[in-house]
Every structure is written in structure tokens, then in C-alpha cells.
Amino acid sequence: MPSEALLSVRDLRIAFHDVEAVRGLSFDVRPREVLALVGESGAGKSLTARALLGMLPRDATTSGTIRPDLSADRGRRITLVPQDALSALSPVHPVGDQLAAAVRSVRRVTRKEARALAVAALDRVGIPDAARKARSYPHEYSGGMRQRAVIAMATINEPDVVVADEPTTALDAERQEQVLRLLGEQREAVGAALVLVTHDMEAVRAHADRVLVMYAGRQSELGPAADVLTRPRAPYTAGLLASLPQYARGRRLPTLPGTPPAPGALPPGCAFAPRCPLATDRCRTEEPQPRPLDGRTVSCHRAEDVTIELFQEVQPA
């Protein structure tokens, strides 16, 4: 494992009934960084995140390596911020008790000490009158407060890695930014790395250090967020970026043609070839392998020809 890596994933494969949903993924998670996993629904982002946590479904089969295996110390060294804060909290126990239980599950502390840590964690994420609200039940919290509470639970034991699986799903733009900013603040406060699973390229631009763009279970592009988001080298990345308003410049916003293939119905060659304007016969017959280019890793035969403008439609304003 590279000396600077906190986690090292190599050739990760996840299959269900012999159909691979994640296909040969390799990446590192570095100390204190924000690594974003990006892609359309079905790309394999959440499965990859849950593999890090050791939380895959029972019918999943895996191969490859994740080193070190932090899943045995889940709740202490690696933790999860789930999509749905309400379902993540027990409705029959006060929020403070749930945070205190999370502490006592991994640390030898008294109930009183655990309770004090729970109140401090709620206060750190901005819950007003934290000592009183620690005695309240989840249904007595607003949606925003519940989201803050699950972030407090994920960071209360000062983990090495926090995995946030689509933490802003169904939130409005203002609330999304609040949650992502809070995640960043708590990551800094406890010195953790953050693996952010998202489909929101704007969130990646504002909050990520590096980005892994996934398509059909494979890596399309991996590199520094600032480079990938300004000079994409994978056609799929360019298509995602071209749909953002700042690239319209008076033109109609384009959309990626077609839909991602199902895991059991992948086309020959590059899985993105049926949707790619640069595809050649080679793309349709030979699957591209990850290769270094311009300070990142990209899986594309024609990466040197890719620009954001590739998918833009020139239309009058």
C-alpha cells in the first residue's frame, strides 16, 4: 500500500449471481482528503462505498483487496453517514442515548462520560441547547437537525474515514450546501478522510480534493478535482460537466444521450461507446484500460481528444 494512503483498494469486483456490478476498481483514500465517487445511478458508487464499510448484501460476492480492512473496526475507524437520517435513528430512544451507545460500543467509558461526549458532539454540529435536545427523540427534531445528529454520530468516535452515501438526497440546494459544509467542518475537527458518494458535480467542485468518476461499474477517470472538472479526459466526465449551467453560455443545456447499460447487458468494448460521440470501431470492440494522462488516470482510447464542448449543442440563446 502506498505510504501516503489511508486505504488502498485494488481490483475490487462485486458481483450478484455471477453478474459483476463493480468491475476491477482501484483507488486510494488519503489522510484527511475528500474523495468524491461520482456517476449516474447504477454506476456502482454506493456498492463501492459499502464494500469499504463491510456492509454489502449477503448475496454479493467480492474479489480484490481493500487494505487495511477497516470494516472490522466499523463505528470506530470507519463510519457511515447514510442517505436517510430519519431511518438511521431509532425512533424509540432519545438521540443522546443513541450517540452515547455509539461511544460505549467502541470505547471503555462510563455512561456519564459517554453522555457528556454525546452532548458535546451535538453541540459541535450546531444543535441548539444540546444538553436538552440530547433527551429528545428523533421525531422531535427537524429534518435538518436529524441530519446534523447522524453526522455527529458518524464523527463522535473520531474515525479515520467517514463514508457519506448521497447525504444530500432530496434536500433543497441551500440545505445541501449546509450539510456538505458541516461534513467538511466535522471532518477537519476529527482529522478524518471523507469518501463522498454523490451525483452532484457542483458538490464535487466545491468540496472534493479528488474525484473518481464511475460508469457501469468501472473507473472512467480519477484525479485531482480541480483538473478533472476543468479539463476532463474521459468522454463520460465531459458529458456530466456539459450539463452544468455554467457551461451553457447561452446555449441549450445538453443531456447525455441514451441510458447506462444494465450490469448483465454490457456492450462489447467500452461500455460508454453507444453514448459517446468519439466512439470508433476500436472502442466498440476493445475495452479501454486505465492509463495515466495529464496527472490523472483515465479509461478511454481517445482521451486526448476529449473536451467539455464535446457534448454541447450550439443553440441560439
Side-chain angles (χ1 to χ4, degrees):
M1 182 172 67
S3 59
E4 71 275 12
L6 185 60
L7 270 177
S8 187
V9 178
R10 292 294 178 268
D11 196 29
L12 176 66
R13 295 176 182 271
I14 304 172
F16 295 88
H17 310 292
D18 297 325
V19 175
E20 284 191 331
V22 173
R23 304 180 295 130
L25 205 61
S26 297
F27 62 91
D28 296 323
V29 179
R30 299 168 183 167
R32 303 181 73 97
E33 80 166 348
V34 179
L35 173 66
L37 306 187
V38 179
E40 293 168 286
S41 296
K45 308 183 301 296
S46 291
L47 282 175
T48 300
R50 290 183 176 272
L52 301 181
L53 290 152
M55 294 175 61
L56 288 170
R58 291 179 181 231
D59 59 343
T61 58
T62 64
S63 63
T65 60
I66 301 174
R67 294 178 178 166
D69 179 8
L70 300 185
S71 65
D73 206 3
R74 189 169 64 235
R76 174 62 183 91
R77 295 194 64 194
I78 188 167
T79 58
L80 173 67
V81 177
Q83 289 186 22
D84 185 357
L86 182 58
S87 64
L89 296 168
S90 168
V92 298
H93 296 97
V95 172
D97 287 0
Q98 295 183 56
L99 267 70
V103 172
R104 298 196 76 207
S105 70
V106 299
R107 295 198 228 175
R108 293 183 178 180
V109 296
T110 66
R111 293 181 185 275
K112 183 177 181 180
E113 290 169 332
R115 179 76 177 185
L117 288 169
V119 172
L122 291 174
D123 182 67
R124 192 173 65 231
V125 298
I127 299 293
D129 196 1
R132 180 178 65 83
K133 292 300 291 184
R135 297 190 292 271
S136 299
Y137 291 83
H139 73 270
E140 297 176 287
Y141 278 43
S142 68
M145 290 173 65
R146 285 194 294 267
Q147 193 73 49
R148 289 174 179 271
V150 297
I151 292 173
M153 185 176 291
T155 56
I156 193 169
N157 289 314
E158 300 183 357
D160 296 325
V161 181
V162 176
V163 178
D165 187 4
E166 298 278 9
T168 60
T169 297
L171 300 180
D172 60 45
E174 182 178 359
R175 182 68 59 78
Q176 288 179 15
E177 178 57 29
Q178 290 173 353
V179 168
L180 290 170
R181 187 168 59 247
L182 179 61
L183 269 172
E185 291 170 355
Q186 295 307 300
R187 176 187 67 84
E188 287 289 345
V190 302
L194 173 64
V195 178
L196 175 63
V197 177
T198 184
H199 61 274
D200 186 346
M201 299 299 281
E202 289 290 2
V204 175
R205 183 185 304 281
H207 299 280
D209 299 308
R210 288 191 305 136
V211 56
L212 170 58
V213 183
M214 295 181 63
Y215 185 78
R218 292 190 81 228
Q219 171 193 297
S220 287
E221 190 163 3
L222 169 64
D227 295 338
V228 172
L229 300 184
T230 55
R231 295 182 297 110
R233 285 293 173 258
Y236 180 58
T237 310
L240 294 177
L241 291 171
S243 64
L244 297 179
Q246 65 262 37
Y247 292 111
R249 301 189 184 122
R251 306 163 180 160
R252 190 175 68 190
L253 281 177
T255 58
L256 278 169
T259 57
L266 297 176
C270 176
F272 189 62
R275 308 174 70 186
C276 180
L278 291 179
T280 64
D281 288 343
R282 181 188 182 194
C283 303
R284 298 183 186 97
T285 58
E286 179 185 334
E287 186 170 50
Q289 299 304 308
R291 60 186 174 99
L293 179 66
D294 293 344
R296 85 282 306 265
T297 305
V298 61
S299 302
C300 178
H301 296 308
R302 300 196 58 190
E304 288 83 356
D305 301 322
V306 173
T307 65
I308 293 175
E309 290 74 20
L310 183 64
F311 287 88
Q312 289 178 334
E313 298 177 4
V314 179
Q315 297 280 344

